[in-house]
Amino acid sequence: MTKEANARAKAALLARIDIFSSLPSQELALLAAKTHRRSFKPGAAMFREGESGDELFVVASGLVSVSILSQDSEVIELSRVGTGAFFGEMAMLEKAPRSATCTAIEPTRCLTLLAADFESLIVEAPGVAMRVLDRMLGIAAGRLVKTGSFLSQMVQWGDTARRRAITDAATGLFNRRYLEDSFGSILARAEREGTALSYAMFDLDRFGKLNAAYGAEFCDRLIVIASGAFRRVFAEEDILVRYGGDEFCFLIPASPPEALRRCEAVCAELRSLAFEEHPELRISCSIGLAHYPSLASGLDELKERADRALYLAKEAGRDRAMEWSPT
């Protein structure tokens, strides 16, 4: 690739990144000329917590894990970020030590910007540099407000930090925070790879009445028993999330018919459960599914249609899994 073609390709990549997308083509070309291409294999550390550094990373493609070490040297994954994410801005601006470790989860391509190159951009094109800096710091400030107190709590939790950070204490499944932090990246990966992804929403039927009849302690145990049923039925690659109370979500990287089959198997598994202390009790569940990309075009649509399918499953008499359908 010629130098000119390489510069055009980097400018085109930057144009697809949110923090640079509003820059006119001439300014994108100036910025692209200052950046460097870097690639990372799965498992490769892009940089480690505490290391010195002066480089900003912008993810052009791939998936990156952001983690820190607890006081007991346990790795705590904070989030996973994909295309369009950036990190390392404080190292670039202040040459501050890295505050986290960033590791490639899958083949990852980045554009990087060194502090010296950004300083030269300030001299050569101060308007461009200030516009980039303003957007970058605005996003970074919001990110710090959102995660700052969470970070300090995780560091103090010590050897239970990772479990508390991304999993539900009672069931051991992923928690709501993990879903909210990772859903977008998981969907983006399915889009890049051209694979199917189904999103399922789950409720135990009439859980409020069960609580009233059998008590909170037994129903808390019921939640744990149900999570065991999920593990028996779902595949290893499925992502199982306790959203809260008796609400669960499942991300299923399989074809729509196979995703529906697994959810129907969950219904059958719960239907077959027996309880020694309450032999009269039988439980059931309702599940609503939406499929990407066949019946949903993006994250919000996937969530809304799964929620609608769950409502329809309840309206149809509960104890079933239903897919969202346009008819």
Side-chain angles (χ1 to χ4, degrees):
M1 183 182 292
T2 66
K3 185 176 180 180
E4 292 76 13
N6 183 48
R8 286 195 300 271
K10 289 194 292 184
L13 280 174
L14 290 173
R16 297 198 294 269
I17 306 300
D18 183 53
I19 61 171
F20 307 122
S21 60
S22 63
L23 294 176
S25 57
Q26 190 172 18
E27 295 186 355
L28 278 172
L30 288 172
L31 179 61
K34 301 294 184 182
T35 64
H36 309 272
R37 293 176 182 268
R38 293 189 64 183
S39 297
F40 300 88
K41 295 180 179 179
M46 303 165 74
F47 53 76
R48 299 186 184 280
E49 182 180 358
E51 288 181 347
S52 59
D54 63 351
E55 194 174 19
L56 169 74
F57 290 74
V58 179
V59 181
S61 65
L63 187 66
V64 177
S65 169
V66 182
S67 63
I68 63 171
L69 287 177
S70 72
Q71 292 174 337
D72 300 308
S73 298
E74 182 182 5
V75 176
I76 307 163
E77 185 176 66
L78 303 180
S79 63
R80 294 188 175 190
V81 297
T83 302
F86 69 89
F87 39 83
E89 66 279 357
M90 297 313 297
M92 182 190 73
L93 296 172
E94 297 187 357
K95 299 181 177 62
R98 302 294 188 183
S99 59
T101 296
C102 288
T103 305
I105 299 298
E106 57 186 53
T108 298
R109 294 186 303 130
C110 293
L111 293 179
T112 67
L113 183 62
L114 293 166
D117 292 321
F118 188 69
E119 289 165 5
S120 69
L121 183 67
I122 292 174
V123 173
E124 297 167 18
V128 178
M130 290 305 103
R131 279 188 285 279
V132 170
L133 187 62
D134 181 63
R135 295 208 65 189
M136 184 172 64
L137 292 182
I139 294 170
R143 188 168 63 201
L144 287 171
V145 168
K146 180 180 177 183
T147 64
S149 61
F150 176 55
L151 267 169
S152 64
Q153 289 175 38
M154 285 194 298
V155 170
Q156 293 171 11
W157 281 338
D159 60 3
T160 61
R162 178 174 171 81
R163 177 177 61 80
R164 295 194 188 188
I166 64 171
T167 62
D168 172 63
T171 64
L173 303 182
F174 287 115
N175 62 16
R176 179 174 178 172
R177 182 184 292 277
Y178 177 84
L179 179 71
E180 292 176 346
D181 287 348
S182 302
F183 202 161
S185 295
I186 293 166
L187 186 62
R189 181 176 183 177
E191 181 179 8
R192 287 195 305 275
E193 297 180 354
T195 55
L197 180 70
S198 293
Y199 178 56
M201 298 181 67
F202 168 105
D203 276 355
L204 276 175
D205 291 334
R206 300 182 175 88
F207 188 68
K209 292 183 177 179
L210 290 175
N211 246 315
Y214 295 98
E217 184 177 349
F218 174 78
C219 286
D220 286 345
R221 189 159 66 84
L222 202 57
I223 293 291
V224 177
I225 292 169
S227 68
F230 305 155
R231 288 191 176 93
R232 290 192 295 274
V233 169
F234 282 111
E236 185 176 350
E237 67 269 18
D238 297 332
I239 297 172
L240 314 179
V241 179
R242 185 183 184 190
Y243 199 75
D246 66 313
E247 298 177 7
F248 294 82
C249 305
F250 312 126
L251 287 169
I252 310 168
S255 66
E258 175 59 20
L260 178 60
R261 186 199 67 77
R262 293 178 196 176
C263 289
E264 288 177 336
V266 167
C267 292
E269 185 76 10
L270 292 185
R271 200 180 298 130
S272 70
L273 292 175
F275 306 93
E276 184 177 349
E277 64 270 54
H278 299 294
E280 79 289 355
L281 177 62
R282 293 294 181 270
I283 64 171
S284 63
C285 67
S286 300
I287 302 177
L289 296 94
H291 307 299
Y292 173 88
S294 59
L295 292 174
S297 60
L299 183 61
D300 291 340
E301 202 167 63
L302 196 61
K303 290 179 177 179
E304 186 274 329
R305 290 179 174 178
D307 183 60
R308 177 63 181 168
L310 176 60
Y311 173 80
L312 292 174
K314 292 180 179 180
E315 286 290 294
R318 299 181 173 87
D319 191 19
R320 70 196 65 213
M322 290 190 66
E323 303 166 294
W324 182 87
S325 171
T327 56

